[in-house]
């Protein structure tokens, strides 16, 4: 069972995807964290987000994911960078380097490999990102597109950052979210968009629990023997 959850920053994808995976005993794969690890490599190499730089940076770069219980972590060339990839600078760089074809090819291939492996070992995988239902697994069993009002998304992001000890203004977070949305939606390769067969979940006025229930209900529907006419 492959479940994809795509949507813009702050729509609630990661929290929901993680909880759905836990509830169904599937594995969670945060594809954004993988792009963030690549972005950190660019930041550390002081490289601009260009195709030229990508060929150098990607050359000897390895991104691995690992799990501590239900929590996914990321390693960059063997180093645990799970916390380091959560800064605003890395987020902005991730949005930029994820427009580069070489970066996407490498990440998509790795995400397909990991997703297939998780299905084999755990019966299912829940991926979250921007293109997991359109590009990574277009044949996924359940596709969700999550969205929410940008101010609500900014409020959530601000709260998250404050919980991590960073103080930011709501206006600044909103501005960053709107800029990142525009970047993610208008890029040439794998732009953020709803797959035609994805179900939209607007989370503006929903609790996490309602979101998780909604996705799990979709999965239960898809599991019914007559779900695809068989
Ligand atoms: O979900 P996130 O904010 O951690 O993702 C960081 C950036 O990575 C985001 O701006 C776009 C990019 N990304 C992507 O292009 N494709 C994905 N499947 C996931 C993330």
């Amino acid at each position: 069972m492959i479940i994809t959850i795509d949507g813009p920053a702050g729509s609630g994808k990661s929290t929901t995807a993680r909880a759905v995976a836990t509830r169904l005993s599937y594995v969670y794969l945060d594809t954004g964290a993988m792009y963030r690890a690549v972005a950190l490599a660019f930041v550390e190499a002081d490289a601009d987000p260009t195709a030229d730089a990508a060929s150098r940076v990607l050359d000897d770069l390895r991104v691995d994911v690992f799990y501590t219980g239900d929590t996914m972590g990321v390693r960059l060339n063997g180093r645990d960078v799970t916390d380091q990839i959560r800064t605003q600078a890395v987020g902005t760089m991730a949005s930029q380097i994820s427009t580069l074809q070489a970066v996407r090819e490498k990440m998509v291939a790795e995400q397909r490999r990991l997703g297939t492996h998780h299905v084999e070992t755990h019966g299912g995988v829940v991926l979250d990102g921007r293109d997991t239902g359109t590009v990574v697994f277009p044949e996924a069993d359940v596709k969700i597109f999550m969205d929410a009002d940008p101010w609500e998304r900014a409020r959530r992001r601000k709260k998250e950052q404050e919980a991590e000890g960073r103080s930011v203004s709501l206006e600044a977070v909103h501005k960053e979210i709107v800029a990142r949305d525009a970047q993610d939606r208008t890029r040439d390769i794998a732009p953020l968009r709803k797959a035609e067969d994805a179900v939209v979940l607007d989370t503006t006025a929903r609790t996490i629990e309602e979101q998780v229930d909604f996705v799990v209900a979709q999965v239960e529907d898809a599991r019914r023997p007559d779900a695809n006419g068989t």
Side-chain angles (χ1 to χ4, degrees):
M1 169 73 56
I2 299 178
I3 303 158
T4 60
I5 304 186
D6 291 310
S11 57
K13 295 182 309 268
S14 339
T15 316
T16 304
R18 197 177 308 123
V20 168
T22 301
R23 183 119 42 108
L24 299 170
S25 300
Y26 291 165
V27 182
Y28 167 54
L29 185 62
D30 175 355
T31 63
M34 297 171 70
Y35 286 98
R36 282 172 180 268
V38 177
L40 179 64
F42 273 75
V43 170
E44 289 182 344
D46 205 12
D48 290 330
T50 62
D52 264 5
S55 62
R56 267 182 293 118
V57 175
L58 289 178
D59 213 19
D60 50 8
L61 170 143
R62 217 182 61 242
V63 173
D64 305 303
V65 305
F66 65 96
Y67 294 88
T68 313
D70 290 344
T71 309
M72 189 188 109
V74 194
R75 288 198 193 96
L76 175 61
N77 295 333
R79 177 167 52 106
D80 183 351
V81 294
T82 312
D83 294 332
Q84 252 178 299
I85 59 171
R86 294 294 155 197
T87 64
Q88 224 176 74
V90 172
T92 303
M93 180 61 101
S95 186
Q96 292 170 331
I97 56 94
S98 61
T99 64
L100 302 172
Q101 184 157 8
V103 170
R104 297 211 75 84
E105 275 172 10
K106 187 163 172 136
M107 290 301 105
V108 168
E110 186 59 10
Q111 288 156 12
R112 285 189 183 137
R113 191 187 70 75
L114 289 168
T116 308
H117 171 76
H118 295 328
V119 171
E120 281 165 11
T121 56
H122 289 75
V125 64
V126 186
L127 297 102
D128 91 55
R130 304 295 190 286
D131 65 339
T132 64
T134 51
V135 176
V136 183
F137 284 114
E139 74 288 11
D141 303 281
V142 173
K143 297 184 189 178
I144 309 286
F145 190 85
M146 287 179 68
D147 211 345
D149 174 79
W151 280 106
E152 175 57 25
R153 291 193 276 129
R155 277 189 284 275
R156 292 175 187 169
R157 242 316 114 100
K158 177 172 156 66
K159 222 163 135 189
E160 267 171 30
Q161 295 193 344
E162 281 172 352
E164 289 161 11
R166 282 193 288 275
S167 138
V168 279
S169 82
L170 185 64
E171 284 68 26
V173 183
H174 179 263
K175 199 169 153 202
E176 192 227 328
I177 278 189
V178 171
R180 193 120 76 85
D181 276 5
Q183 166 105 264
D184 292 348
R185 285 179 202 270
T186 57
R187 67 184 179 208
D188 292 335
I189 313 172
L192 167 65
R193 67 173 177 85
K194 182 184 102 56
E196 262 171 39
D197 51 349
V199 180
V200 175
L201 172 57
D202 188 316
T203 68
T204 308
R206 287 193 205 232
T207 64
I208 301 289
E209 208 175 332
E210 287 168 341
Q211 294 162 31
V212 176
D213 287 346
F214 179 94
V215 180
V216 170
Q218 297 290 321
V219 175
E220 280 164 2
D221 273 357
R223 273 172 169 170
R224 272 194 252 288
D226 60 352
N228 35 24
T230 52

